């Protein structure tokens, strides 16, 4: 079921693959025109995603940008407004994970994870809000937090701290932007079968002396709904958060994890 959106432009960062791609596809299906973003290393996948969405009849633009770099983020938002007319929905989805014991985490690794996940979200929220305030029509800002923003996973302390930060940022931004009719919410997935979890499984299995695939199996035992999440589960929530149906919701970080953690 689509949400029948009219005249809306949605930007999804980190949308060449995984959850970001599923969100972009779902928002296109709902009727938003779509701006896709990823880093240069994923340019081919990004163009392939753009072609898939274009084929459905929606207007699509792509922007290569690193969300941890302020100039990139500002140029990205300006290009989206130039190519598609305005920006009405910002989905700050791009993120990276590093599986390392806190004792072995270097300052560089800490900065890398915080740079993409937390500074990147801050920069995207800020640039999107500036654009939306200029337009004067309100808007929807959506962040990617995680189950680890409620209960961290061991060996993912830095990642967990970054997502806990996204939760705080989302609440603060909601308080500041409400007067501009901009809502700010975040989705908090649990265990989604994407490239990110392939990496987490591989590293966790190595750290805990297990075979590949066993860490995912072990952590998945806690899922009440009895299956690992797929990106489309998260896209359905993002669809709601991007639509007028969620106009009375702001500052919320919504768990979508099949019932691992209760808020
Ligand atoms: P993924 O690794 O499959 O995709 C992430 C995308 O972001 C990639 O295409 C990557 O190239 C892009 N990206 C990375 N750094 C970037 C940067 N600096 N600038 C722009 N793009 C960048 O990951 P995913 O599983 O699809 O995760 C998407 C989001 O959801 C992330 O923020 C992640 O932390 C969050 N999340 C994922 C899970 C999960 O189980 N997979 C759970 C909770 C939260």
């Amino acid at each position: 079921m689509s949400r029948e959106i009219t005249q809306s432009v949605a930007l999804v960062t980190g949308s060449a693959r995984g959850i970001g791609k599923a969100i972009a596809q779902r928002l296109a299906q709902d009727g938003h025109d779509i701006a896709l973003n990823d880093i240069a290393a994923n340019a081919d996948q990004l163009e392939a995603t753009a072609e898939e969405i274009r084929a459905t009849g929606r207007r699509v633009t792509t922007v290569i940008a690193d969300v941890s770099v302020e100039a990139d983020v500002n140029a990205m938002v300006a290009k989206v407004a130039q190519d598609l007319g305005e920006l009405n929905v910002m989905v700050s989805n791009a993120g990276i994970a590093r599986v390392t014991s806190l004792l072995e985490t270097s300052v560089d690794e800490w900065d890398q994870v915080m740079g993409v996940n937390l500074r990147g979200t801050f920069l995207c929220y800020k640039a999107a809000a500036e654009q939306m305030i200029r337009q004067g029509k309100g808007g929807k800002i959506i962040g990617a937090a995680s189950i680890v923003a409620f209960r961290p996973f061991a060996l993912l302390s830095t990642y967990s701290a970054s997502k806990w930060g996204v939760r705080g940022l989302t609440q603060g931004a909601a308080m500041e932007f409400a007067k501009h009719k901009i809502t700010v919410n975040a989705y908090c997935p649990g265990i989604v079968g994407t490239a990110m979890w392939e990496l987490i499984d591989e590293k966790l299995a190595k750290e805990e002396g297990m075979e590949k695939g066993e860490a995912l199996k072990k952590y998945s035992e806690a899922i009440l709904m009895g299956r690992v999440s797929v990106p489309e589960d998260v896209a359905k929530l993002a669809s709601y958060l991007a639509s007028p149906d969620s106009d009375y919701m702001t500052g919320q970080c919504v768990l979508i994890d099949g019932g691992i953690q209760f808020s």
Side-chain angles (χ1 to χ4, degrees), residues 10 32 41 43 50 82 84 104 129 151 156 163-164 168 184 193 195 213 228 231-232 242 254 257 263:
H32 301 266
Q82 192 180 27
L84 298 177
E104 282 155 22
R151 181 179 168 82
L156 279 159
K163 295 298 185 180
W164 206 290
V184 192
V228 169
E232 290 71 22
V254 185
D257 64 358
S263 58

Side-chain angles (χ1 to χ4, degrees), residues 4-190:
E4 312 253 340
I5 302 293
T6 48
Q7 297 262 320
S8 170
V9 175
L11 164 61
V12 187
T13 68
S15 49
R17 69 180 190 207
I19 294 170
K21 177 178 177 178
I23 291 174
Q25 287 173 319
R26 174 60 203 249
L27 295 187
Q29 191 191 325
D30 290 345
H32 301 266
D33 288 326
I34 301 294
L36 300 166
N37 150 264
D38 217 287
I39 48 176
N42 275 342
D44 290 350
Q45 266 183 298
L46 190 69
E47 282 312 319
T49 301
E51 273 315 305
E52 280 176 39
I53 297 176
R54 247 177 232 125
T56 69
R58 300 248 62 87
R59 293 193 303 153
V60 180
T61 192
T62 56
V63 196
I64 296 295
D66 179 339
V67 297
S68 66
V69 178
E70 185 172 23
D72 276 24
V73 173
N74 292 340
M76 170 173 71
V77 169
K79 183 176 189 297
V80 173
Q82 192 180 27
D83 290 355
L84 298 177
E86 46 187 40
L87 177 66
N88 311 105
V89 178
M90 161 63 93
V91 186
S92 175
N93 167 78
I96 57 171
R98 293 282 176 271
V99 181
T100 334
S101 149
L102 197 57
L103 295 173
E104 282 155 22
T105 300
S106 68
V107 169
D108 278 352
E109 283 169 321
W110 170 272
D111 286 345
Q112 211 185 6
V113 172
M114 287 294 171
V116 177
N117 295 3
L118 191 48
R119 186 171 65 218
T121 304
F122 152 66
L123 292 172
C124 286
Y125 281 16
K126 185 178 172 195
E130 283 169 350
Q131 176 67 28
M132 290 169 186
I133 292 165
R134 270 196 301 275
Q135 292 167 185
K137 294 158 62 177
K140 300 275 178 184
I141 295 179
I142 302 166
S146 166
I147 185 175
V148 300
F150 290 82
R151 181 179 168 82
F153 282 12
L155 304 177
L156 279 159
S157 298
T158 307
Y159 177 75
S160 302
S162 74
K163 295 298 185 180
W164 206 290
V166 168
R167 198 174 150 204
L169 191 72
T170 299
Q171 295 174 2
M175 294 168 86
E176 290 193 33
F177 301 160
K179 63 174 178 281
H180 301 290
K181 301 273 181 286
I182 298 168
T183 64
V184 192
N185 296 289
Y187 47 86
C188 302

